[in-house]
Amino acid sequence: RSQYGVQAMVPKRKEPFTKQMLISHVLGAPAGLDLGGGWSLDWSSRAGKSLAALTAVLAQTGFRKSEVSVPSQLDTLHYCLQRSHLHWVIQGVPVDRPTAAQLRQLRAGDFAVLTPPPSKSDPFDMVWGGNPIWLPFVFGEPLCAAIALADLLLAWPTDGAVDSAVFTHDDGKPFTGSQLDKALERMLLHAYPPATVRLYSWHSARIFLCTSLLEAGASRAQIQALCRWQTEDSIAVYGR
């Protein structure tokens, strides 16, 4: 209650995605689904492949929505993941701009490597900017970010546009946070009642990562580093 005796409206905390939910009801959302704002889901399009790669990347990295989108189309990409943040290690060799042949022949031991962009907890990229995130190629894994990123680049190469957003609409413009929120809501509403859908947001991927790491037996220090938190206190909030 507030100091005036009025019951405060506390929103329900978000729940973690489950792996099955991400595979079946996000990546498994049907083509043609209305995602709002005149956007219909087409997994073969640039927007569709971006959405698939974004889902896998969030599940494996715990990036915040603000790190893979912009608040509005008028905002800069300063806090948004750009193609200059994406690198590769293929057959043990660092590669900035892989060829189509290299991307098609990825195998165990190869990695997509993402350098974290600036964030609200690290606005000048001084804490985590020097700590790249290694995403391994895992054949047959539906949430493999390396495979999804390679699929996106094969369809839409960088062509030197390293300062463009990684995840975009068909016109090459970055997703806005509100567009991603509406898309997720529509995908989940296709499978769940509204009361259930309200328990989830893209931040549920960050909770999913923390919870999965706890389940896998990672140490608190490892989880803090992998989720890019300033202290371990967040683990008590995010871990389920």
Side-chain angles (χ1 to χ4, degrees):
R1 293 182 180 274
S2 72
Q3 59 179 317
Y4 304 107
V6 177
Q7 185 70 43
M9 295 297 291
V10 180
K12 292 183 178 179
R13 71 175 186 173
K14 297 301 182 182
E15 292 300 317
F17 288 131
T18 65
K19 185 173 182 179
Q20 192 59 44
M21 177 185 290
L22 288 169
I23 294 171
S24 297
H25 305 309
V26 179
L27 296 178
L33 182 67
D34 180 8
L35 299 181
W39 178 16
S40 294
L41 184 56
D42 177 0
W43 290 114
S44 66
S45 70
R46 182 171 184 172
K49 289 183 182 292
S50 288
L51 193 58
L54 180 147
T55 300
V57 165
L58 291 186
Q60 287 198 270
T61 66
F63 278 138
R64 301 172 181 88
K65 180 183 65 178
S66 60
E67 295 168 317
V68 295
S69 65
V70 292
S72 76
Q73 294 294 354
L74 299 178
D75 288 278
T76 70
L77 296 177
H78 179 71
Y79 294 105
C80 182
L81 195 67
Q82 301 172 49
R83 291 208 171 184
S84 59
H85 295 120
L86 174 59
H87 306 275
W88 300 80
V89 173
I90 301 174
Q91 297 184 34
V93 179
V95 180
D96 286 336
R97 298 185 186 180
T99 64
Q102 286 177 310
L103 292 173
R104 291 192 183 97
Q105 294 170 11
L106 291 176
R107 60 190 183 188
D110 295 335
F111 297 86
V113 185
L114 288 173
T115 300
S119 64
K120 65 179 183 180
S121 61
D122 185 19
F124 301 106
D125 215 17
M126 297 177 67
V127 180
W128 294 291
N131 295 296
I133 300 171
W134 293 62
L135 302 169
F137 173 87
V138 182
F139 180 76
E141 169 54 61
L143 291 178
C144 179
I147 292 176
L149 287 167
D151 190 39
L152 177 61
L153 262 62
L154 280 168
W156 285 275
T158 56
D159 295 328
V162 294
D163 58 346
S164 63
V166 174
F167 309 116
T168 70
H169 281 289
D170 293 339
D171 59 7
K173 293 181 179 179
F175 292 131
T176 66
S178 60
Q179 288 168 337
L180 288 178
D181 287 340
K182 179 58 68 175
L184 178 64
E185 179 185 46
R186 295 290 180 91
M187 288 188 288
L188 294 182
L189 281 173
H190 188 74
Y192 300 101
T196 299
V197 173
R198 284 193 289 271
L199 299 177
Y200 297 91
S201 72
W202 288 109
H203 212 65
S204 295
R206 192 163 171 80
I207 309 171
F208 164 80
L209 177 62
C210 178
T211 302
S212 297
L213 289 168
L214 282 170
E215 186 178 39
S219 71
R220 294 176 67 84
Q222 287 175 322
I223 296 172
Q224 178 189 344
L226 290 169
C227 293
R228 295 172 294 127
W229 283 316
Q230 295 282 14
T231 71
E232 292 183 3
D233 295 343
S234 295
I235 299 173
V237 178
Y238 281 75
R240 299 287 190 266

